[in-house]
Amino acid sequence: MKLELLAEKLGFQQKEGTFVRTFSGYEASLVMYKVPGSYVKIPMVLFVLNKSIDKEDTKAIMKASKLRGIFKESVALKDNAILIQPRFNNNEKFDAYVNKIVSTFEDLRLKQLDYCPYCGEGETDSKRILKGTIIHVHDRCVKDFVEKVSTHLETVGNSKENLLKSIIFALIGGFIGLLPSIIILFATGFYSAWLFLLIPFAAFYGFKKGGAQRGSYVMVIIALISFILAPGFMAFAYYSMAIVNELTFAEALAIDEFRADFVTDMIMSVVFTALAVFFSWKKIYTQTHGQIKKDISELKG
Ligand SMILES: [Zn+2]
């Protein structure tokens, strides 16, 4: 459903390109929320609060809303925003549902963020739209913050320290991630696209352990490692099979059945690796400097 239509249905008003509605003094925004690490976007009701929502708060809110899980977000502060699904199409039920959650905020002494999150002062002179909601700020504070983070990314972010170590760790990690696929393949003769997903994640885990800076190029390294390891292993398996049967690889390839199986498996390993890279991309990207740069560009407005 279009956000405009849903907003109208649930009583949200348009305000500077956002959709807002106040529930007992708390301003909520209806936003199109991109589920972290995925390509999925869903409409959500967003509340931005003045402090981090801790575990106890989360529990209390979940109890009040009867939700199994809630999304927490960082909007200018860390973990200070909460997203709930607009579950009811019936207005009365929706209002009761949201009001119950809002009354939990009051019980937990979570207040709405109504001051500049960078300096804590109330008299703001500017606004930014972050994650679909309006945040009141000082222009000066935002500029200082953006400059500070940008400078940090330029100096520390471009450091090549530990890069080689991280790449080696990523290779080792990727190989460990490949093992389940190898075991299942030998045991059953099948592949699972989901098991291939372990390769990029394990490679990234290794990269992080290596301690290098996570520039945006990490994505390319992880993709490369995945594409080298999985099809590379497949080729190696066929090569070994030929040797075990006392044939050279060329001789084995001359056998129609061997060649057909080899080609099929090579194609499948490339396809599955591509799927794994595609599905892991966003999740890994959110942990790189690429994500920070994106967040910063949103602030520049
Ligand atoms: Zn400020």
Side-chain angles (χ1 to χ4, degrees), residues 192-215:
S192 152
W194 296 115
L195 280 180
F196 268 65
L197 258 181
L198 291 172
I199 303 166
F201 281 121
F204 184 58
Y205 181 79
F207 190 92
K208 284 196 281 188
K209 285 278 155 200
Q213 288 295 319
R214 283 175 239 152

Short mmCIF file of all heavy atoms in Angstrom, two decimals, residues 192-215:
data_model
loop_
_atom_site.label_atom_id
_atom_site.label_comp_id
_atom_site.label_asym_id
_atom_site.label_seq_id
_atom_site.Cartn_x
_atom_site.Cartn_y
_atom_site.Cartn_z
N SER A 192 23.29 -26.58 -1.17
CA SER A 192 22.22 -25.74 -0.66
C SER A 192 22.68 -24.30 -0.81
O SER A 192 23.76 -23.93 -0.36
CB SER A 192 21.97 -26.08 0.81
OG SER A 192 21.47 -24.94 1.46
N ALA A 193 21.83 -23.49 -1.44
CA ALA A 193 22.18 -22.08 -1.63
C ALA A 193 22.38 -21.40 -0.28
O ALA A 193 23.18 -20.50 -0.13
CB ALA A 193 21.09 -21.36 -2.42
N TRP A 194 21.60 -21.87 0.72
CA TRP A 194 21.70 -21.25 2.05
C TRP A 194 23.05 -21.53 2.68
O TRP A 194 23.61 -20.68 3.35
CB TRP A 194 20.58 -21.75 2.96
CG TRP A 194 19.26 -21.33 2.44
CD1 TRP A 194 18.26 -22.15 1.97
CD2 TRP A 194 18.78 -19.99 2.27
NE1 TRP A 194 17.21 -21.39 1.54
CE2 TRP A 194 17.49 -20.07 1.71
CE3 TRP A 194 19.33 -18.73 2.54
CZ2 TRP A 194 16.73 -18.94 1.41
CZ3 TRP A 194 18.58 -17.61 2.24
CH2 TRP A 194 17.29 -17.72 1.69
N LEU A 195 23.58 -22.72 2.46
CA LEU A 195 24.90 -23.03 3.03
C LEU A 195 25.98 -22.18 2.38
O LEU A 195 26.94 -21.80 3.02
CB LEU A 195 25.22 -24.52 2.85
CG LEU A 195 24.56 -25.46 3.86
CD1 LEU A 195 24.95 -26.90 3.57
CD2 LEU A 195 24.97 -25.10 5.29
N PHE A 196 25.79 -21.87 1.11
CA PHE A 196 26.77 -21.01 0.42
C PHE A 196 26.82 -19.62 1.05
O PHE A 196 27.83 -18.94 0.97
CB PHE A 196 26.43 -20.89 -1.08
CG PHE A 196 27.14 -21.91 -1.93
CD1 PHE A 196 26.86 -23.26 -1.78
CD2 PHE A 196 28.08 -21.53 -2.88
CE1 PHE A 196 27.50 -24.21 -2.55
CE2 PHE A 196 28.73 -22.47 -3.66
CZ PHE A 196 28.44 -23.81 -3.49
N LEU A 197 25.71 -19.22 1.68
CA LEU A 197 25.66 -17.92 2.35
C LEU A 197 26.71 -17.80 3.45
O LEU A 197 27.13 -16.72 3.81
CB LEU A 197 24.28 -17.72 2.99
CG LEU A 197 23.27 -16.83 2.29
CD1 LEU A 197 22.00 -16.76 3.11
CD2 LEU A 197 23.83 -15.43 2.08
N LEU A 198 27.10 -18.96 4.00
CA LEU A 198 28.08 -18.95 5.08
C LEU A 198 29.42 -18.40 4.60
O LEU A 198 30.18 -17.84 5.37
CB LEU A 198 28.29 -20.37 5.62
CG LEU A 198 27.13 -20.98 6.40
CD1 LEU A 198 27.40 -22.44 6.70
CD2 LEU A 198 26.92 -20.21 7.70
N ILE A 199 29.71 -18.58 3.30
CA ILE A 199 31.04 -18.21 2.79
C ILE A 199 31.31 -16.70 2.93
O ILE A 199 32.27 -16.32 3.60
CB ILE A 199 31.24 -18.71 1.34
CG1 ILE A 199 31.03 -20.22 1.29
CG2 ILE A 199 32.63 -18.33 0.83
CD1 ILE A 199 30.87 -20.78 -0.11
N PRO A 200 30.47 -15.82 2.35
CA PRO A 200 30.76 -14.40 2.52
C PRO A 200 30.71 -13.93 3.98
O PRO A 200 31.54 -13.11 4.40
CB PRO A 200 29.68 -13.69 1.70
CG PRO A 200 28.67 -14.71 1.35
CD PRO A 200 29.34 -16.04 1.43
N PHE A 201 29.76 -14.47 4.75
CA PHE A 201 29.67 -14.04 6.16
C PHE A 201 30.91 -14.47 6.95
O PHE A 201 31.44 -13.70 7.75
CB PHE A 201 28.41 -14.59 6.82
CG PHE A 201 27.18 -13.80 6.46
CD1 PHE A 201 26.11 -14.41 5.83
CD2 PHE A 201 27.11 -12.44 6.72
CE1 PHE A 201 24.97 -13.68 5.48
CE2 PHE A 201 25.99 -11.70 6.38
CZ PHE A 201 24.91 -12.33 5.75
N ALA A 202 31.34 -15.72 6.71
CA ALA A 202 32.52 -16.21 7.42
C ALA A 202 33.76 -15.45 6.98
O ALA A 202 34.64 -15.14 7.79
CB ALA A 202 32.69 -17.71 7.19
N ALA A 203 33.84 -15.11 5.69
CA ALA A 203 34.98 -14.35 5.19
C ALA A 203 35.00 -12.97 5.83
O ALA A 203 36.05 -12.47 6.25
CB ALA A 203 34.91 -14.23 3.67
N PHE A 204 33.83 -12.35 5.95
CA PHE A 204 33.74 -11.03 6.57
C PHE A 204 34.10 -11.09 8.05
O PHE A 204 34.77 -10.20 8.58
CB PHE A 204 32.35 -10.43 6.38
CG PHE A 204 32.22 -9.02 6.91
CD1 PHE A 204 33.04 -8.02 6.42
CD2 PHE A 204 31.30 -8.70 7.88
CE1 PHE A 204 32.94 -6.72 6.90
CE2 PHE A 204 31.19 -7.41 8.37
CZ PHE A 204 32.02 -6.42 7.88
N TYR A 205 33.66 -12.15 8.70
CA TYR A 205 34.00 -12.33 10.11
C TYR A 205 35.52 -12.39 10.26
O TYR A 205 36.09 -11.73 11.13
CB TYR A 205 33.36 -13.63 10.62
CG TYR A 205 33.63 -13.89 12.08
CD1 TYR A 205 32.89 -13.22 13.06
CD2 TYR A 205 34.62 -14.78 12.48
CE1 TYR A 205 33.14 -13.44 14.40
CE2 TYR A 205 34.88 -15.01 13.82
CZ TYR A 205 34.14 -14.34 14.78
OH TYR A 205 34.39 -14.55 16.10
N GLY A 206 36.16 -13.15 9.36
CA GLY A 206 37.62 -13.24 9.37
C GLY A 206 38.25 -11.87 9.14
O GLY A 206 39.19 -11.49 9.84
N PHE A 207 37.71 -11.13 8.18
CA PHE A 207 38.24 -9.80 7.87
C PHE A 207 38.21 -8.91 9.11
O PHE A 207 39.18 -8.23 9.44
CB PHE A 207 37.45 -9.16 6.73
CG PHE A 207 38.09 -7.90 6.22
CD1 PHE A 207 38.97 -7.94 5.15
CD2 PHE A 207 37.83 -6.67 6.81
CE1 PHE A 207 39.60 -6.78 4.68
CE2 PHE A 207 38.45 -5.51 6.36
CZ PHE A 207 39.32 -5.58 5.29
N LYS A 208 37.08 -8.93 9.81
CA LYS A 208 36.94 -8.11 11.01
C LYS A 208 37.98 -8.50 12.06
O LYS A 208 38.57 -7.66 12.71
CB LYS A 208 35.53 -8.26 11.60
CG LYS A 208 34.48 -7.50 10.82
CD LYS A 208 33.20 -7.34 11.63
CE LYS A 208 32.38 -8.62 11.59
NZ LYS A 208 31.04 -8.46 12.20
N LYS A 209 38.18 -9.83 12.21
CA LYS A 209 39.14 -10.33 13.20
C LYS A 209 40.55 -9.85 12.88
O LYS A 209 41.38 -9.70 13.78
CB LYS A 209 39.12 -11.87 13.24
CG LYS A 209 37.91 -12.44 13.94
CD LYS A 209 38.10 -12.45 15.45
CE LYS A 209 36.75 -12.43 16.13
NZ LYS A 209 36.78 -11.98 17.51
N GLY A 210 40.81 -9.63 11.60
CA GLY A 210 42.14 -9.18 11.18
C GLY A 210 42.43 -7.76 11.64
O GLY A 210 43.58 -7.35 11.72
N GLY A 211 41.38 -7.00 11.92
CA GLY A 211 41.56 -5.68 12.51
C GLY A 211 41.78 -4.53 11.55
O GLY A 211 42.07 -3.42 11.98
N ALA A 212 41.64 -4.74 10.24
CA ALA A 212 41.82 -3.64 9.29
C ALA A 212 40.59 -2.74 9.29
O ALA A 212 39.52 -3.14 9.75
CB ALA A 212 42.07 -4.18 7.89
N GLN A 213 40.75 -1.52 8.78
CA GLN A 213 39.62 -0.61 8.62
C GLN A 213 38.63 -1.20 7.61
O GLN A 213 39.03 -1.87 6.66
CB GLN A 213 40.13 0.74 8.09
CG GLN A 213 40.90 1.53 9.12
CD GLN A 213 40.02 1.95 10.29
OE1 GLN A 213 38.88 2.35 10.10
NE2 GLN A 213 40.54 1.84 11.50
N ARG A 214 37.37 -0.93 7.84
CA ARG A 214 36.35 -1.49 6.94
C ARG A 214 35.87 -0.46 5.94
O ARG A 214 34.77 0.06 6.06
CB ARG A 214 35.19 -2.03 7.75
CG ARG A 214 35.49 -3.35 8.39
CD ARG A 214 34.35 -3.78 9.26
NE ARG A 214 34.77 -3.96 10.64
CZ ARG A 214 33.97 -3.79 11.69
NH1 ARG A 214 32.73 -3.44 11.51
NH2 ARG A 214 34.42 -4.00 12.89
N GLY A 215 36.72 -0.15 4.99
CA GLY A 215 36.31 0.76 3.92
C GLY A 215 35.28 0.07 3.04
O GLY A 215 35.05 -1.13 3.17
#
